[in-house]
Amino acid sequence: MSNETIKMTSGEYVPIEMHKVRVVQKLNLLPIEKRLKAIEDAGYNTFLLQNRDVFMDMLTDSGTNAMSDQQIAAMMVADDAYAGSESFNRLQEAVEEILGTQYFLPAHQGRAAEHIISQAFIKKGDIVPMNFHFTTTKAHVELAGGKVVELFTNDALEIKSDKPFKGNMDIDKLKDLVKTAGKDKIPYIRMEAGTNLIGGQPFSVENMRAVRKVADENGILIVLDISLVCENMYFIKMREPEFMDKSPAEILRTLCDLADIIYFSARKISCSRGGGIATKNHELYLKMRDMVPLFEGFLTYGGISVREIESMAVGLREAIDWNVIRHSPEFIKYLVDSLDAKGIPVITPAGGLGAHLDARGFLPHLTSFDYPAGALAAALYIVSGVRGMERGTISMDRDEKGNDVPSEVELLRLAFPRRVFTLSQVKYAEDRIEWLWKNRELIGGLKFTEEPKVLRFFVGRLAPASDWPQKLQAKFREDFGDSL
Ligand code: F0G
């Protein structure tokens, strides 16, 4: 166990892969003319691009992580059975060993776990306080008749910052909310490790303990989302003095012991697929259990293939291996610090999950109603083949009156699937982002041409508000000649 990084003779900091590549997948890098056509065909929505047209897929770290040889090997010995599969027993043992929870419910992915938890505990008119919402979480809370209230701290949305724990919950706001809303209206408090939508920012154990205290004083449950807990643990170990000498296993246990219900997307935490809900409390387990056969599958597979169940069990054990944990945050830091040093607006300090470009700072000539984060995502794809994800106003659905709801932050997320990209690929992305920054005034807005009512960012289609994509292409050719 060590926190040290490897020092280069020059003194330069370079993140090092603590693994070697043994299986590879070919990539395509299309010429810019074809990329422009591809994004047009995709309705200027990076979710609708075909992967064959993408060079670096930085859309998400969900289900796109590299698996270890041990995971693949485990998949070969899976036990196919509708009920009582040995694979499930192995998963349950891994969950109990790593999270310290006796009861486990499989669900086909993270949002399915959110569905079950929301349906089991939320009544119409309830309020669910969170350190920050996640898109699918909010949709499920609302589907169950509840409302999300975000209690982030004043530092959380600062773009340029040196605050170590921007994912913390504001404890005073939590106390006020409990007082004004009434504890009976709050079925649970949700804490999200590695707060996704504000840039993969962590919360501290100290903060989680303070949330636990308020919860205990008022008899409220805590639900902990550990989908992104690996990177959150990395930052706890690096930044919270009490935990610098603790192992990731001890840190994870400390966090899990502070929650009543824990759930996760296995597409993230264990570099596999699937999801699940874990608890030490039998009564809470029973409240959720009957929904698994109804919505997911039988209790010993929950809609997940047995092969994935095996890879999940191994992946959960690898999720407390320091060399596995550190890889992503250290690569992300490399890109974020390089961009920041060039004055390119990016969320600092670097978080987990990915590098997050601040589209408001990048494109100050656009308003939220021009969808700057979506425009930046399309522009970056056009100039590089790098596919990122809009996390701004497009990711917010309209309010009841049909008005756009400007997002608090307008981000282009460049996710780092775990152990997937090499440093030269990261340097390529950095180079094209820098070129785009120098040519940012060429980028214009987007408007919807086809707009779903719920989670519109997934399949909505847009069009550029002018011929800015063609201008961008022309400038690219002028500067790069025949280069891809
Ligand atoms: N919680 C968090 C913190 C997440 O990041 C996600 C998914 C979920 C829950 C839902 O899990 O996808 O398995 O149903 N995040 C993905 C992303 C979609 O790209 O950030 P899921």
Side-chain angles (χ1 to χ4, degrees), residues 60 109-111 114 134 192 196 225 265 267-268 413:
T60 178
Q109 60 185 84
R111 70 200 66 181
E114 290 171 338
F134 182 68
E192 182 180 308
N196 188 328
D225 179 347
S265 168
R267 300 172 66 82
K268 297 193 176 224
R413 178 178 91 174

Side-chain angles (χ1 to χ4, degrees), residues 47 59-62 108-114 134-137 190 192-197 225-228 263-268 274-275 353 389 391 413 415 457-458:
F47 273 97
L59 185 76
T60 178
D61 61 334
S62 171
H108 77 271
Q109 60 185 84
R111 70 200 66 181
E114 290 171 338
F134 182 68
T135 50
T136 57
T137 328
R190 174 178 173 275
E192 182 180 308
T195 326
N196 188 328
L197 294 189
D225 179 347
I226 57 164
S227 308
L228 294 169
Y263 77 92
F264 58 85
S265 168
R267 300 172 66 82
K268 297 193 176 224
L353 179 62
M389 186 191 288
R391 295 276 79 160
R413 178 178 91 174
F457 64 90
F458 277 130

